[in-house]
Amino acid sequence: MTMYILRRLASFFATLLGAAIVIFLVLEILPGDPAAVTLGLNAAPEALAALRAEMGLDQPALLRFFNWIGGLLTGDLGLSYTYRVPVTQLIGERMVVTLPLASMAILLASAIGIPLGALAAANHNRAGDAAVMVFAQAGLAIPNFWFGLLLVLVFAVGAGWLPAGGFPGWQAGFWPALKSLLLPAIALALPQAAILARVTRSAMLETMQEDYVRTARAKGVSRRRTMLRHVLRNALIPVVTVLGLQFSVLLAGAIIIENVFALPGLGRLVFQSIAQHDLIVVKDLVMLFSALVVFINFAIELLYGLIDPRLRQAS
Amino acid sequence: MTTRRDLLAGAGLAALATQLPLAAFAQAKDSVTIGMTLEPPTLDPTSGAAQAIREVVLQNIFEGLVAMDRTGKLVPALAESWTLAPDNLTYTFKLRPNARFHDGTPFSSRDVKFSFERAVAPDSTNAQRWIFMPIESIETPDPITVIVKLKQPTANFIYGLSWGDAIIVSQATAANNKTNPVGTGPFKFARWNRGDRLELARNDEYWGTKPSLAKATFRFISDPQAQVAALRAGDIDVFTNLSAPEAIPQLKADPKLKVTLGKTEGETILAINNAKAPFSDVRVRHAISHVLDRKTIALGIYGFDLDYIGSHFSPLHPAYVDLTGTYPVDLAKARALLAAAGFPKGFECTLRLPPPAYARRGGEIVAALLAQIGITAKIEPLEFPQWLERVFKARDFDLTIISHTEPLDIANYARDDYYFQYRNPEFKALIETIDRTVDEAQRNKLYGDAQRMLARDAVNGFLFILPKITVTKADLDGMWTDWPLPLTPLAEVRWR
């Protein structure tokens, strides 16, 4: 297991370094001067030069690259061009929105998707199965921004139970903050739940064909117990893989959903930073997202090892 | 007069509202929630051009010596009064003796001198240095007197002092104004949750009339659908400039809301590269002007009529001359002009568009209109930084659509290298004369000549004034509905 972890860890860091180089180069060749964006259509050349110096844009690219990497390693992500506050602070402020939002979405999606998928598999070729498949089809077909707008229309504009958007901050209290994350989390969770339901169903149907399942049933283990102990557990590997893959989809979805609900999360920060040419924030965030995705994959590979002991030996 | 009891009652109500965040109390009658499309990047209007900065802080947190009122008239602010000596060079400002910064420091003439000198310092990033460039010297004989000597008569000097770039800051706190603004205005900065909301609290030490609102919250909602939803759900009390014109009929039908279409200083133009053939031929520009059907463009973008312009000047200004009839829509004439210029079958060109909806949607319609006379405009959407780099800075474009939102920016046509590159010595001389003409009636007459000259040369396709769509709860009064300067002053806002 140790070798397995070490090798995964090495590829984890190599991937991150590669990502850092690509991110820096891509943003380097992007046209557009952040100082010009800040000062607008009437700016005097002297003011532009002063601002470029203040932002450190007058330094050579290589130096800026090493400064950036050095900063990343020491936890100093630099100063946002637009907001003029440390990027770590910005990311910290946004993390407390996106992290609970994404967690709620993943939990909701798992809590709905996995049982529904299991239910469908258990009722294969019966009415319950068909109903779940219809739900999954709809969940995949409905774009989540549209579903988000629908939720707002029904629960905020119509019923007035929940806010239409925005985030009062956790300092406003747990319940008001949670309330404003509820609709976006549901909107974000719907397509994920649909995918999970489908994956769980097909993985379970496949596992049900396995010899050990038949053996368990032949030994007299109840149908219910076989499904839970043998079928579902072995079907979890593809489900966990999909959960991991969906994490990056979730980040992309969060950009849209956070805009629909005017939530001050990381997704909206990416969107704004690109629009305002706050390249330093874009750089740091893309790096953070890459690190997260790479890390999740890493964690999932470790999870495989836990779920299926055979994989540990195989490597 | 506000009695002590009123104040106590107000404070009690405010306390209740913060403790009971129920829907009913969210509308406590001394607080207001204002929706805005863009969030200010920082809160220091002297360090960047973003309009959102001014919209939040100017006349709320920060004040200048003079201010602009909702009709576009200059009124006293931190300067009680001012006089101009007969030499047309020496301004003497009498300052408010009882004004204080939010940190308690008294405001004095030293702050004025500091602020103006800071704006032109070599490391200054002030985007509007032109306001301060004419200054020869600043004297402060006593704490409430400032004498500013100019190098030459400059008609718009006082006018520029009402802009956000000319606010008065305190030496002690100026460096931190980006994140923790300290001004002299009727409201103090309270809290900023970046990406979501910013809160102001009433400044009880204010030198002028105390505002009726104890608290104001700006909420930043960029998605047009989300703006409409927030209004309809009652989450916000007013939206200052709605980005969803298509929602107007629906919002108008709601008896709880009122919708106002206001004027701005945003001249929206089809900018033409005057230095590049074939657009350097005035006949080609005339031909283009004859096909730009403003009504079709406005209806296509917004779905309703707008205020149209025939030159680069806003109808909000008293010197405005209506030149919208200069080039009536006339396809035959346009084709003849193109033929005379050597393009009987038209030509191909590019139309580079920045992100705002007026540009992207307007671009489609303009391209369709131009196609009628054989001009094939290839549309290229650009992000704003790229637009700034390629179109504005490198002047690498044929046509583009953009709104110029600064007041009195007609003077840009006198800059040879400004992106549309209108190089006319006659116009430059005229703008210089205007700059030195202190007499207002005379100056307005000259502004009229300048407008006619731009219309005659069809420098750009002059389209319309950007509308300001304000949606307020029906019982909220005092919001600015026009934008002589893009501001949201809250001092006069009150619930009925």
Side-chain angles (χ1 to χ4, degrees):
Chain A
M1 187 77 184
T2 324
M3 257 326 272
Y4 180 76
I5 295 180
L6 280 179
R7 274 173 46 188
R8 292 281 165 260
L9 216 57
S11 84
F12 174 68
F13 282 110
T15 316
L16 283 189
L17 182 68
I21 295 174
V22 171
I23 292 166
F24 189 85
L25 288 179
V26 167
L27 292 186
E28 198 58 29
I29 54 171
L30 205 68
D33 176 0
V37 177
T38 306
L39 291 183
L41 300 193
N42 284 3
E46 304 93 307
L48 263 177
L51 188 60
R52 289 180 60 86
E54 199 180 307
M55 288 173 165
L57 290 169
D58 50 348
Q59 295 167 351
L62 205 64
L63 185 66
R64 277 186 287 128
F65 178 73
F66 284 113
N67 281 345
W68 178 52
I69 295 290
L72 283 182
L73 294 177
T74 54
D76 173 13
L77 302 190
L79 217 57
S80 155
Y81 290 154
T82 34
Y83 285 120
R84 295 323 180 75
V85 295
V87 181
T88 35
Q89 182 193 333
L90 272 185
I91 291 181
E93 288 168 4
R94 302 301 179 101
M95 203 79 109
V96 299
V97 180
T98 300
L99 226 51
L101 176 66
S103 313
M104 273 167 80
I106 290 241
L107 283 178
L108 266 173
S110 310
I112 299 169
I114 297 178
L116 274 185
L119 198 78
N123 294 297
H124 187 45
N125 283 338
R126 276 183 280 170
D129 187 17
V132 171
M133 290 314 284
V134 168
F135 159 80
Q137 200 58 47
L140 283 174
I142 295 173
N144 56 9
F145 73 88
W146 186 85
F147 187 57
L149 286 173
L150 192 73
L151 289 174
V152 168
L153 219 55
V154 175
F155 295 103
V157 177
W161 293 341
L162 294 163
F167 186 71
W170 292 102
Q171 71 267 41
F174 180 73
W175 180 232
L178 195 73
K179 251 168 68 173
S180 57
L181 292 182
L182 209 56
L183 293 184
I186 294 174
L188 211 48
L190 178 80
Q192 321 280 358
I195 294 174
L196 283 180
R198 284 175 76 145
V199 172
T200 309
R201 174 181 174 272
S202 59
M204 281 183 71
L205 286 179
E206 207 168 300
T207 319
M208 276 154 77
Q209 314 296 323
E210 298 280 348
D211 290 340
Y212 57 80
V213 174
R214 225 170 303 144
T215 313
R217 288 288 286 147
K219 267 177 16 190
V221 181
S222 76
R223 181 177 155 78
R224 186 186 161 78
R225 200 174 151 77
T226 318
M227 286 304 262
L228 288 177
R229 288 269 321 159
H230 299 280
V231 180
L232 189 59
R233 183 174 171 159
N234 282 295
L236 272 184
I237 289 241
V239 173
V240 168
T241 311
V242 168
L243 259 177
L245 286 176
Q246 275 184 297
F247 185 78
S248 32
V249 178
L250 202 73
L251 285 177
I255 298 182
I256 297 164
I257 286 297
E258 284 174 0
N259 270 303
V260 169
F261 287 91
L263 286 178
L266 286 174
R268 189 130 162 269
L269 186 61
V270 181
F271 192 74
Q272 285 179 330
S273 322
I274 293 173
Q276 293 165 336
H277 230 51
D278 196 345
L279 296 185
I280 198 155
V281 175
V282 178
K283 225 159 39 182
D284 288 341
L285 278 177
V286 177
M287 194 63 216
L288 178 77
F289 286 165
S290 321
L292 274 176
V293 170
V294 177
F295 175 77
I296 294 277
N297 286 338
F298 172 65
I300 282 174
E301 281 174 356
L302 290 188
L303 254 179
Y304 286 167
L306 288 180
I307 297 176
D308 190 343
R310 283 171 305 179
L311 285 178
R312 272 176 257 165
Q313 271 101 51
S315 71
Chain B
M1 268 308 270
T2 318
T3 63
R4 198 181 151 76
R5 187 189 288 172
D6 286 342
L7 278 175
L8 278 175
L13 209 68
L16 253 174
T18 50
Q19 275 162 24
L20 294 174
L22 299 170
F25 284 96
Q27 297 178 17
K29 292 302 179 185
D30 64 350
S31 72
V32 69
T33 303
I34 304 133
M36 271 174 68
T37 301
L38 293 177
E39 178 177 33
T42 74
L43 299 177
D44 181 356
T46 69
S47 73
Q51 177 176 316
I53 303 178
R54 290 152 183 79
E55 284 184 51
V56 171
V57 305
L58 190 56
Q59 294 192 22
N60 289 328
I61 297 178
F62 291 114
E63 298 173 295
L65 288 185
V66 299
M68 193 170 284
D69 74 2
R70 63 177 74 223
T71 65
K73 211 173 79 211
L74 286 180
V75 291
L78 280 173
E80 228 166 40
S81 63
W82 60 92
T83 53
L84 176 60
D87 62 0
N88 279 340
L89 291 174
T90 316
Y91 282 93
T92 306
F93 296 91
K94 280 288 167 210
L95 307 183
R96 305 270 173 196
N98 52 347
R100 280 175 182 277
F101 284 98
H102 298 151
D103 62 354
T105 338
F107 155 77
S108 83
S109 54
R110 289 213 334 257
D111 301 306
V112 178
K113 187 172 158 74
F114 168 74
S115 301
F116 288 4
E117 285 174 353
R118 176 175 174 264
V120 285
D123 61 344
S124 158
T125 54
N126 197 306
Q128 311 287 350
R129 284 180 185 216
W130 66 264
I131 299 172
F132 313 95
M133 292 316 273
I135 298 178
E136 170 85 44
S137 68
I138 305 167
E139 283 165 49
T140 55
D142 65 66
I144 57 158
T145 310
V146 177
I147 301 169
V148 177
K149 268 209 167 63
L150 303 184
K151 294 171 194 154
Q152 60 197 33
T154 310
N156 284 323
F157 175 66
I158 285 285
Y159 179 81
L161 293 186
S162 70
W163 288 29
D165 311 79
I167 52 154
I168 306 301
V169 297
S170 151
Q171 184 152 16
T173 50
N176 299 325
N177 279 344
K178 282 179 187 141
T179 50
N180 185 24
V182 175
T184 55
F187 289 90
K188 292 195 256 196
F189 169 70
R191 196 162 68 97
W192 186 8
N193 283 2
R194 281 185 189 75
D196 187 56
R197 65 190 65 199
L198 187 147
E199 289 173 11
L200 304 181
R202 177 168 54 210
N203 168 17
D204 289 316
E205 317 290 313
Y206 187 55
W207 57 264
T209 316
K210 307 264 184 308
S212 143
L213 298 172
K215 192 181 138 191
T217 305
F218 287 93
R219 291 237 349 240
F220 312 113
I221 307 175
S222 51
D223 184 80
Q225 295 305 320
Q227 295 173 1
V228 176
L231 275 167
R232 294 187 57 209
D235 290 3
I236 54 176
D237 302 314
V238 49
F239 209 95
T240 57
N241 192 10
L242 196 77
S243 321
E246 57 279 358
I248 288 180
Q250 181 192 18
L251 294 170
K252 270 188 172 159
D254 188 334
K256 293 192 296 293
L257 300 172
K258 65 183 173 200
V259 180
T260 325
L261 298 181
K263 292 182 176 52
T264 69
E265 282 282 341
E267 295 90 5
T268 310
I269 57 174
L270 171 71
I272 301 175
N273 191 341
N274 280 244
K276 193 172 165 187
F279 306 101
S280 46
D281 188 328
V282 72
R283 289 170 296 191
V284 172
R285 300 200 302 271
H286 281 166
I288 292 175
S289 295
H290 275 297
V291 296
L292 293 177
D293 181 354
R294 299 186 181 94
K295 196 179 169 84
T296 300
I297 297 171
L299 290 180
I301 304 174
Y302 291 100
F304 47 85
D305 254 311
L306 299 171
D307 291 297
Y308 303 113
I309 49 169
S311 186
H312 199 103
F313 218 76
S314 164
L316 269 177
H317 195 278
Y320 173 76
V321 182
D322 184 356
L323 296 165
T324 47
T326 315
Y327 302 100
V329 177
D330 187 338
L331 294 184
K333 195 164 178 191
R335 283 194 197 98
L337 280 161
L338 267 193
F343 299 96
K345 294 203 171 113
F347 53 85
E348 283 181 14
C349 60
T350 59
L351 175 54
R352 304 217 152 115
L353 302 173
Y358 68 76
R360 293 278 166 89
R361 290 190 205 172
E364 303 278 348
I365 303 158
V366 166
L369 293 175
L370 290 175
Q372 297 175 100
I373 55 167
I375 300 179
T376 314
K378 196 170 139 267
I379 289 176
E380 286 179 22
L382 296 178
E383 286 309 304
F384 192 60
Q386 277 85 321
W387 185 90
L388 274 177
E389 188 83 15
R390 292 182 66 183
V391 176
F392 188 72
K393 201 169 145 206
R395 304 184 280 271
D396 170 23
F397 76 108
D398 296 332
L399 301 170
T400 186
I401 294 179
I402 188 83
S403 194
H404 285 248
T405 55
E406 305 281 13
L408 282 185
D409 44 18
I410 190 170
N412 283 332
Y413 287 74
R415 290 163 67 177
D416 278 349
D417 283 334
Y418 206 64
Y419 72 106
F420 35 71
Q421 299 170 91
Y422 173 58
R423 291 169 186 155
N424 181 352
E426 197 190 347
F427 187 82
K428 272 172 88 166
L430 181 55
I431 288 292
E432 232 159 89
T433 317
I434 289 173
D435 271 347
R436 286 170 199 195
T437 306
V438 181
D439 178 71
E440 200 172 332
Q442 180 60 23
R443 189 167 76 245
N444 285 351
K445 196 181 140 296
L446 294 173
Y447 267 134
D449 296 341
Q451 293 169 57
R452 277 183 278 268
M453 205 181 285
L454 296 186
R456 181 197 70 200
D457 290 346
V459 184
N460 291 313
F462 301 105
L463 303 177
F464 56 83
I465 287 294
L466 214 56
K468 168 175 156 66
I469 308 168
T470 308
V471 186
T472 45
K473 287 207 173 139
D475 50 350
L476 184 73
D477 292 330
M479 286 294 299
W480 279 25
T481 46
D482 286 334
W483 260 355
L485 268 183
L487 307 180
T488 315
L490 298 170
E492 294 169 0
V493 174
R494 61 181 65 241
W495 292 97
R496 210 180 296 135

